[in-house]
Amino acid sequence: MTSASPHAALLQQLRSQATVRDQAPASTLAETSGAPVGNSAPLSKEAYDFGELPDYRPIKLQRAALASLDLDHPFFRLGEGDSAAATQIEGEPQISFASYDYLGLNRHPEVRSAAKAAIDHWGVSTSASRLVGGERPYHRSLERALADMQGTEAALAMVSGHATNLATIGALLGPKDLIILDQFSHNSVVEGARISGATRLIAPHNDYGWIDDTLRQVREQHRHVLIAVEGLYSMDGDTPDLAELVALKTRHRAWLMVDEAHALGCLGATGRGLAEAAGIDPTVVEIWMGTLSKTLASCGGYICGSAALIDYLRARAPGFVYSVGLAAPLAATAETALRIMQRDPEPVARLAANGRLFLDRARAAGLDTGLSEGHAITPVMIGDSLRAVRASEALFAKGINALPIIHPGVPERSARLRFFLTADHTPEMINAAVQATAEVLADL
Ligand code: PLP
């Protein structure tokens, strides 16, 4: 174990996550390759050498800080098993709370058979953009199933959930428009807003009064206004008030977009998400977004909405138009998983019970569960990034796999361990995880 002083700077770096670019003295930035281009000043190595990228330095410093404290890097651990609750990671048996296979459908025999049958029939790749030669029946039947599940006129599936947010927001909004993002919005929404060129405002989390006041002041200065929220917040495990949001967006003639990445399968009696849980007609929300990668055990993203919205996106969303059509095994997996979820609500109920049990036990053990409402995601708040990494490592040594979430994934000083609950966790697994977490935090 090393003394504090040689590592103080590294640890400070890890804690603050400040970029070296912000701190580097001018002389560092001016370091040259010695190869002047034309008449201009010599280029610094940062301009062309990946190893010298200013944003790469804090990553390397962070790793050095962890190594100096004999801590493993907790990310990119090699799992040898599938997404099951009981699995093996780096040679060790683990109870895992790190996968969002919420209903355990990644292991369902029907889902696996559907993927294999789709490969046998259609091959592994669609091999073309749908617009130009790649349209197949499996795309249409998945989209019909998604629209029916969501209760909207139509749906559109794309090859990535992240790209779906980028492509959709980027295609709908431009410089004359405004997007109001909840403070806890996922990176894909933040990036979509950025590339759209629209004015961006960050709303304090779930603060509808703030949104209302803001729109009273600025609505008239903009053409389109989009309010973007999540159905179930991926880092905090809480939900928005859909009725409040619908009233707000109606009052201000704004569009409402709900990212259901973590809500599908987890909210509502039959897993249909926030609209089902809130008892609200889904057609009053303009844009429902979701991913195929979580409850649906596949890969890709989708938008559900009006026929006009989907027709427009089919022609204008770059991540759809200029990208390959979803592969047959992925489409078949997602559609089969969706049908199983709708046919049998029992795993949805089991997941809901597990989420509640974890929250109740964690609170009883004195853990800070932040904003969690006891659905499928509960954070255990830690604050300091290094402490969160240490806690994750200590839990891993006890056979519990729960990943630390640190800045920039969450705001500064709000590092946490995030627990994804699934239908396949048993009460014994949940009890073991809560007890181990309480012990680890008491010892840190
Ligand atoms: N939206 C939210 C809220 C997410 O949490 C994620 C991914 O975790 C995405 C979108 C992107 O989905 P995908 O991982 O399927 O690309």
Side-chain angles (χ1 to χ4, degrees):
M1 187 59 209
T2 46
S3 72
S5 54
H7 301 284
L10 294 177
L11 295 179
Q12 183 52 35
Q13 192 78 52
L14 179 62
R15 292 204 167 97
S16 70
Q17 299 283 317
T19 64
V20 169
R21 184 173 35 198
D22 296 336
Q23 300 175 352
S27 60
T28 314
L29 297 176
E31 212 174 287
T32 67
S33 70
V37 177
N39 291 330
S40 58
L43 275 177
S44 87
K45 284 181 90 179
E46 289 171 15
Y48 56 86
D49 184 340
F50 294 132
E52 296 298 320
L53 287 176
D55 286 348
Y56 186 31
R57 284 186 222 158
I59 298 170
K60 290 189 281 188
L61 270 169
Q62 195 182 87
R63 250 178 236 148
L66 292 176
S68 75
L69 294 167
D70 288 333
L71 279 172
D72 271 347
H73 196 297
F75 308 111
F76 295 105
R77 277 191 186 128
L78 192 62
E80 285 104 11
D82 60 18
S83 59
T87 188
Q88 180 163 311
I89 302 168
E90 294 186 345
E92 300 294 332
Q94 293 282 328
I95 303 170
S96 185
F97 294 86
S99 293
Y100 38 54
D101 180 18
Y102 290 121
L103 300 180
L105 295 174
N106 190 27
R107 317 188 80 215
H108 198 292
E110 243 178 88
V111 170
R112 292 188 174 196
S113 308
K116 288 173 198 160
I119 290 177
D120 287 344
H121 192 93
W122 299 103
V124 178
S125 175
T126 295
S127 304
S129 161
R130 287 172 60 186
L131 198 73
V132 283
E135 184 79 357
R136 296 286 182 278
Y138 49 81
H139 297 129
R140 296 190 182 178
S141 71
L142 170 63
E143 286 166 352
R144 191 65 261 149
L146 287 165
D148 289 348
M149 175 278 297
Q150 189 64 70
T152 56
E153 284 177 346
L156 185 65
M158 305 188 202
V159 289
S160 140
H162 194 282
T164 299
N165 272 334
L166 249 72
T168 302
I169 297 171
L172 285 171
L173 300 179
K176 292 181 182 159
D177 305 325
L178 170 70
I179 171 162
I180 297 186
L181 313 171
D182 186 276
Q183 183 190 356
F184 292 172
S185 290
H186 188 258
N187 170 274
S188 50
V189 173
V190 174
E191 287 297 304
R194 191 174 59 80
I195 62 162
S196 74
T199 301
R200 287 165 283 156
L201 294 175
I202 310 292
H205 184 50
N206 283 345
D207 190 339
Y208 313 115
W210 186 95
I211 300 176
D212 198 26
D213 289 347
T214 303
L215 285 178
R216 269 185 225 290
Q217 291 167 42
V218 304
R219 175 64 184 97
E220 281 179 11
Q221 298 161 26
H222 301 279
R223 183 183 51 165
H224 310 306
V225 173
L226 177 73
I227 302 170
V229 300
E230 284 178 32
L232 174 60
Y233 281 90
S234 63
M235 300 296 179
D236 293 80
D238 65 333
T239 57
D241 183 334
L242 187 57
E244 190 73 50
L245 282 163
V246 167
L248 245 181
K249 69 99 190 176
T250 307
R251 194 153 56 242
H252 296 287
R253 291 184 177 267
W255 292 325
L256 179 59
M257 176 172 188
V258 185
D259 178 335
E260 293 269 278
H262 297 271
L264 181 70
C266 303
L267 299 181
T270 63
R272 282 183 293 126
L274 185 65
E276 184 184 21
I280 286 181
D281 173 4
T283 61
V284 300
V285 172
E286 284 75 14
I287 309 169
W288 290 103
M289 181 271 166
T291 74
L292 307 180
S293 60
K294 297 171 174 72
T295 285
L296 299 185
S298 181
C299 186
Y302 64 87
I303 297 291
C304 289
S306 68
L309 171 70
I310 299 307
D311 202 25
Y312 173 78
L313 292 177
R314 278 165 70 91
R316 282 283 180 273
F320 177 77
V321 173
Y322 299 101
S323 196
V324 68
L326 195 67
L330 298 176
T333 296
E335 185 178 340
T336 307
L338 190 59
R339 295 196 189 286
I340 294 171
M341 179 188 94
Q342 291 181 282
R343 171 180 91 198
D344 180 12
E346 191 276 332
V348 176
R350 212 168 348 114
L351 170 61
N354 282 346
R356 191 70 241 167
L357 181 68
F358 186 94
L359 181 66
D360 290 347
R361 292 286 152 83
R363 281 184 178 157
L367 301 175
D368 176 358
T369 52
L371 301 174
S372 171
E373 293 172 7
H375 302 292
I377 301 168
T378 288
V380 172
M381 306 303 289
I382 303 215
D384 183 74
S385 294
L386 187 58
R387 206 160 173 260
V389 172
R390 278 186 189 282
S392 174
E393 163 115 338
L395 273 180
F396 192 75
K398 287 175 179 273
I400 306 289
N401 186 43
L403 272 287
I405 308 289
I406 60 179
H407 182 78
V410 290
E412 296 278 13
R413 311 294 307 166
S414 66
R416 66 205 58 189
L417 293 169
R418 178 174 56 179
F419 291 83
F420 287 124
L421 282 307
T422 73
D424 287 348
H425 285 113
T426 62
E428 292 72 28
M429 288 173 170
I430 290 171
N431 288 339
V434 169
Q435 194 186 331
T437 307
E439 284 167 10
V440 158
L441 293 185
D443 287 351
L444 272 186

